[in-house]
Amino acid sequence: LEDIKYLGFEADEIIMASDRLDLYYEYALQLINLNGAYTCTCPSSEFSELKNSGNSCPHRGKPIEQTLEEFQHMVVGNLSAGKMVLRIRTDLSHPNPAIRDWVAFRMVDTPHPREVAQDNRCWPLLDFQSAIDDHLLEITHIIRGIDLQDSAKRQQYLYDYFNWEYPEVVHWGRINIDDHPVPLSTSSMANSIESGSFTGWSDLQLPTLRNLEKRGIQGDSITSSMVDLGTSTSNITLSISAIYSKNRSNIDEVADRLFFIKNPSEKQIFGKDLPEVVEIPIHPNHPDRGSRKLAITPSIFIDISDIPMSEEVLYLKGIGSVRYTRDSFEFIGGDFSSAKAQSSPIVHWLPSTHEQLCLKTPQGDFNGIVESTICNYDSGDLIQFERVGFAKLEVVSGVQNAYFSHP
């Protein structure tokens, strides 16, 4: 439900299948009386051989009264797992063996996680449960993954027995995310989490909604990207760059700007007319938000990757042009337009007074430094670290962290 809300939707009603077992039992009894289901004690391997060869199970022809009695034993919980199932009577000549006399109910020994249902042992499988719910809840359209295309064929037998009209079904091909090392497979990811390869569903390396939300990706950026793809039974590749592009448009106006340096290197700065304090807009498009003041201390910090060649000129944002000489920066003045005309590199920096911040990314953590004004922000605030990218702030016990969103 949290994921649904994150994507921008609200549930009209919350229905728990585990609260509706008596309802499913009732329809199972109706189905048995219609001779549409029978109880079976065949071992699964033995039944598979019969099914695959198109032969009937020896229990298929038992009287309805016997099936009713045995199903009641299942409901009461007198049987252990694997001892008996309730099968839907279909067409044994169906070209797809997966459709032939499929299982509707089985026995489960493991108690249900919800306390209200922990005493129940006879449980419907998804194709039975969802078919009954779809009809009773008046579902008109079903959107399913292509891997569940057999479900409609199985459920059609139930609808025919009850003389119901089956909903319209739209199948969606498998969704892959490009430029992502981890496949979009819930079972595979669950196994990796269980083994300790990942910390949980919000692990920054996983292609999950909880990861994206943690990093400040807006739910609308995802849903609009999916809508743009449309529906297709072919496998679909969702471009992560498309999500980032939409998210950039969504948050650019709200994200204040700050300087953050991932790999800081300290350098001296000197020069005639070097200002003592500079003011830099909090947001270039919103002068009403004011500016942040940075004191120019005798030593400043830049990123190691920005250290220029000897005697090279670069532009320090908010300060002006400087020449790199004798492992120091000499202020030589000049406005931004002249630096741009000379194609000087534009570099961000920080004074000696700053804060520590850990930028968490899918590729690893960067323990860097950030402007002291970071203390004015709260957990959940979206920031654009200039020349680095967007990030979502997290403050825990005074410790500053940020989750990298995208460039």
Side-chain angles (χ1 to χ4, degrees):
L1 291 175
E2 291 179 3
D3 291 342
I4 292 173
K5 187 174 182 179
Y6 162 58
L7 292 175
F9 304 101
E10 290 287 343
D12 291 327
E13 186 178 0
I14 299 173
I15 296 174
M16 298 285 189
S18 52
D19 290 333
R20 296 161 64 84
L21 284 179
D22 288 342
L23 184 65
Y24 304 139
Y25 295 156
E26 176 187 332
Y27 277 95
L29 292 172
Q30 291 183 33
L31 194 62
I32 294 170
N33 281 311
L34 291 171
N35 202 27
Y38 63 94
T39 48
C40 172
T41 57
C42 289
S44 58
S45 58
E46 181 180 316
F47 184 85
S48 291
E49 291 181 8
L50 292 169
K51 175 185 69 174
N52 292 336
S53 61
N55 294 318
S56 63
C57 158
H59 310 99
R60 200 173 198 263
K62 68 177 61 173
I64 290 176
E65 293 74 16
Q66 183 180 351
T67 297
L68 288 170
E69 181 181 352
E70 291 178 346
F71 183 67
Q72 288 295 350
H73 285 303
M74 292 179 65
V75 172
V76 172
N78 293 337
L79 302 168
S80 59
K83 293 297 183 180
M84 182 177 289
V85 297
L86 182 72
R87 295 188 179 278
I88 303 301
R89 191 186 305 274
T90 66
D91 182 359
L92 292 178
S93 64
H94 194 285
N96 184 354
I99 310 301
R100 301 171 189 169
D101 286 17
W102 52 275
V103 176
F105 283 82
R106 65 176 179 173
M107 303 302 297
V108 179
D109 288 340
T110 305
H112 194 273
R114 292 186 69 215
E115 185 175 354
V116 68
Q118 286 184 353
D119 292 336
N120 296 101
R121 292 294 179 267
C122 180
W123 287 90
L125 273 69
L126 177 62
D127 281 338
F128 185 91
Q129 170 252 308
S130 62
I132 300 300
D133 286 340
D134 286 343
H135 173 73
L136 297 180
L137 298 175
E138 300 182 343
I139 301 300
T140 59
H141 291 74
I142 301 171
I143 301 177
R144 286 195 181 115
I146 193 67
D147 54 318
L148 296 176
Q149 58 184 333
D150 285 344
S151 291
K153 299 172 185 176
R154 295 191 189 100
Q155 293 175 338
Q156 187 64 59
Y157 283 94
L158 293 182
Y159 275 67
D160 288 344
Y161 280 122
F162 291 124
N163 197 27
W164 295 341
E165 182 179 353
Y166 197 72
E168 187 77 21
V169 179
V170 177
H171 286 112
W172 208 327
R174 183 179 180 85
I175 301 174
N176 299 303
I177 298 181
D178 66 350
D179 295 328
H180 207 290
V182 180
L184 187 58
S185 166
T186 52
S187 58
S188 175
M189 288 188 288
N191 291 334
S192 296
I193 292 171
E194 183 71 22
S195 67
S197 299
F198 301 111
T199 58
W201 290 104
S202 63
D203 192 293
L204 299 187
Q205 298 182 69
L206 295 180
T208 61
L209 292 178
R210 294 186 184 181
N211 164 20
L212 296 175
E213 181 181 20
K214 189 176 186 177
R215 292 166 49 201
I217 309 298
Q218 306 299 289
D220 179 64
S221 303
I222 301 170
T223 54
S224 60
S225 296
M226 293 296 295
V227 170
D228 288 347
L229 283 179
T231 57
S232 171
T233 55
S234 301
N235 289 345
I236 301 170
T237 298
L238 176 61
S239 171
I240 194 69
S241 60
I243 295 177
Y244 290 166
S245 177
K246 288 183 179 292
N247 197 65
R248 192 177 298 111
S249 298
N250 285 338
I251 68 175
D252 182 71
E253 290 299 308
V254 300
D256 287 348
R257 275 45 170 177
L258 291 178
F259 289 161
F260 168 76
I261 298 176
K262 293 192 290 186
N263 299 295
S265 175
E266 187 173 10
K267 299 294 179 183
Q268 299 295 311
I269 186 169
F270 65 95
K272 183 181 179 182
D273 299 326
L274 178 66
E276 295 182 357
V277 177
V278 295
E279 294 189 12
I280 303 172
I282 291 176
H283 194 292
N285 299 336
H286 295 279
D288 55 299
R289 296 187 196 174
S291 58
R292 58 214 208 253
K293 295 182 179 181
L294 295 179
I296 303 177
T297 51
S299 62
I300 62 171
F301 291 83
I302 66 169
D303 197 274
I304 290 176
S305 62
D306 288 329
I307 297 176
M309 301 293 289
S310 180
E311 301 304 316
E312 185 179 352
V313 174
L314 53 77
Y315 184 85
L316 294 178
K317 298 194 73 171
I319 296 179
S321 295
V322 295
R323 179 181 290 106
Y324 187 58
T325 179
R326 299 187 303 277
D327 203 32
S328 300
F329 287 120
E330 179 185 5
F331 177 69
I332 58 176
D335 56 22
F336 175 71
S337 58
S338 61
K340 186 177 181 180
Q342 298 174 26
S343 299
S344 299
I346 302 171
V347 173
H348 64 293
W349 58 280
L350 283 173
S352 56
T353 302
H354 51 252
E355 296 290 326
Q356 302 292 317
L357 181 138
C358 178
L359 181 64
K360 298 179 177 294
T361 79
Q363 292 74 37
D365 295 351
F366 293 91
N367 292 299
I369 58 177
V370 68
E371 290 180 39
S372 297
T373 50
I374 192 73
C375 298
N376 298 333
Y377 296 90
D378 299 318
S379 286
D381 286 344
L382 300 172
I383 302 292
Q384 183 185 351
F385 294 129
E386 298 193 40
R387 300 183 62 238
V388 175
F390 293 92
K392 184 177 180 179
L393 191 62
E394 178 190 69
V395 183
V396 180
S397 300
V399 178
Q400 307 281 353
N401 294 317
Y403 291 95
F404 182 72
S405 305
H406 50 75

